[in-house]
Amino acid sequence: MIKFKAIIALILIGGCFFSWWLLRPNLHEENVRADHETLIISSYGKILNFNLENNKIQWQYQSKFNLSGNRNYFSLSDNILLQPFESGELIAFNLNTGKILWQEHIFGEGKGMGFAVATPDGIDPDYVNSLKPLFMTQPLMTKENVYITSTNQPMSTNIPALYSFGKNTGTINFVQDLPTVFNFFKPVEFNGFIFVNSAVFLNLYDKKSGDQKNYGTYILSTDDENTKPNQFSNPIYAQMLSDGQSLFVGDENGKFYALKFDGNNNISGAVTSDPDNTFIKNSKLFKWKFSDDAIGSIHADGRAHLYKNYLLTAVNLSDKTEQSIIAINKKNGKLIWKADLQGIDKWALIDDKVIASNRGGIYILDMDGKITGNIKIPSEFAVISNIEVDRNGDFYFATEKGIAKLEMKTQKINIILQQNFIKDEHDYFQIKYLKRNSGSSL
């Protein structure tokens, strides 16, 4: 197995850690073939496949390098569950059996190949722990390949990178060095290319070779970092989205931008010889921009979703007293509605509803921004994960006592898997409900 040497990153930006959450879904992700009604659980380096038909653990895996937390999310495609770890491990499991289909372990030299420090029992855990976190993101899975970005400590001499692997085999396609260590979000495939947001940079790569491309903006004749054509005014700390026609990008201040490219990923009217033709200087490069004086910043998770004509995200208001879920018209960038909520911890778009939670309860919003449900949760069942909804409309979520099921008709909460869990900013708790699908395995 090829290995690459050393990346660290306890990355603190502006006093808070940035996390992110799942997008729902792209064309190839979450086309999942589960043998039984399933709940996938990921926390503190452990993966569990919980069989909801017999209420038993089908299989589980514990990474020995990530016992103190794992700030990464898994992705699903066909019968593959792909989980990155802060230790630099990237493991593809058979969703139904837990069999490891392939695994890689990066050590952070980007294009430079390197090897781990070994002991008689394998890779030295102390060495790995000195490098963590190497991944802080979620992988993008396409029909044939996987794309994932690595990170690093800002003062390290090691190099963060965009990695591409074969989805079914783990074969390395390419490794492309990235401009900064702040690579926290899933890459986006658009027009046959891969987009990566790295701090203030929006970079474009060929999906087969990994070669960096230009979208018709100013091509530099110098190395002046302040005039990079792919540089935004503020760090792009929101999950990018694409509807197949436009690319939607958000920054840490809660501003969103829509970029519309032609089939070659060039922006209409771009002039590569004009030094004013950059994202900062030329507003005509955008289809639209969205900003609102009432918004202070993007919510810490940086999550965003597309639903029909809406771009949905969560923001912190300027007065810092509460958060809001907002819906932006993805065609013109106008605000459609804003729903003010207090203390949002987790939120997601599930089918045609927004479900948000805090330690005291769960909010349900419809696509008009109206609160249609406000469920009070007893403190002993306080929600510490995202919420998933099963085929009957019942809710699943993690508590400190275990995995809970909220029966919506009776409002009764039962612990279906008793296990002690911890809520901690150094661990991204993730659960995922899968209905039974009898399709064949890969």
Side-chain angles (χ1 to χ4, degrees), residues 101-144:
L101 304 174
W102 58 267
Q103 62 188 115
E104 256 297 346
H105 202 149
I106 68 162
F107 296 95
E109 282 194 352
K111 285 185 178 181
M113 299 245 189
F115 295 90
V117 174
T119 69
D121 297 323
I123 299 172
D124 184 357
D126 291 337
Y127 174 71
V128 171
N129 288 332
S130 73
L131 303 177
K132 292 195 307 185
L134 295 164
F135 288 129
M136 284 184 68
T137 186
Q138 182 183 19
L140 167 68
M141 300 176 74
T142 65
K143 183 178 181 180
E144 297 177 345

Side-chain angles (χ1 to χ4, degrees), residues 2 33 65 99 111 167 211 225-226 245 249 277 289 294 347 359 362 365 367 369 373 397-398 405 431-432 442:
I2 300 176
R33 299 196 290 266
F65 299 115
K99 177 183 177 181
K111 285 185 178 181
K167 185 173 79 172
D211 292 341
E225 292 291 325
N226 294 320
Q245 297 179 346
V249 178
N277 189 44
K289 292 182 183 181
W347 77 278
R359 296 284 289 185
I362 299 170
L365 282 69
M367 283 300 99
F397 52 88
K405 178 179 181 179
I431 67 172
K432 177 66 180 175
L442 291 177

Side-chain angles (χ1 to χ4, degrees), residues 36-38 50-53 390-391 433-436:
H36 51 80
E37 196 174 12
T38 301
F50 187 70
N51 188 328
L52 290 167
E53 295 175 12
D390 72 10
R391 57 188 175 88
Y433 168 80
L434 302 172
K435 62 183 180 181
R436 175 202 283 261

Side-chain angles (χ1 to χ4, degrees), residues 20 93 205 333 343 422:
W20 57 98
F93 299 91
Y205 301 94
I422 301 171

Side-chain angles (χ1 to χ4, degrees), residues 39-52:
L39 198 67
I40 303 296
I41 303 158
S42 177
S43 180
Y44 277 85
K46 177 183 282 189
I47 311 294
L48 289 169
N49 177 311
F50 187 70
N51 188 328
L52 290 167

Side-chain angles (χ1 to χ4, degrees), residues 32 62 65 69 76 89 92 132 145 164 205 221-222 226 238 252 255 284 286 292 323 356 395 420 432:
V32 180
Q62 175 68 64
F65 299 115
L76 298 165
E89 296 169 280
K132 292 195 307 185
N145 298 311
S164 175
Y205 301 94
S221 58
T222 69
N226 294 320
E252 66 179 355
K255 296 180 179 179
K284 293 181 179 180
F286 302 106
D292 190 315
Q323 293 81 40
F395 288 14
N420 292 330
K432 177 66 180 175

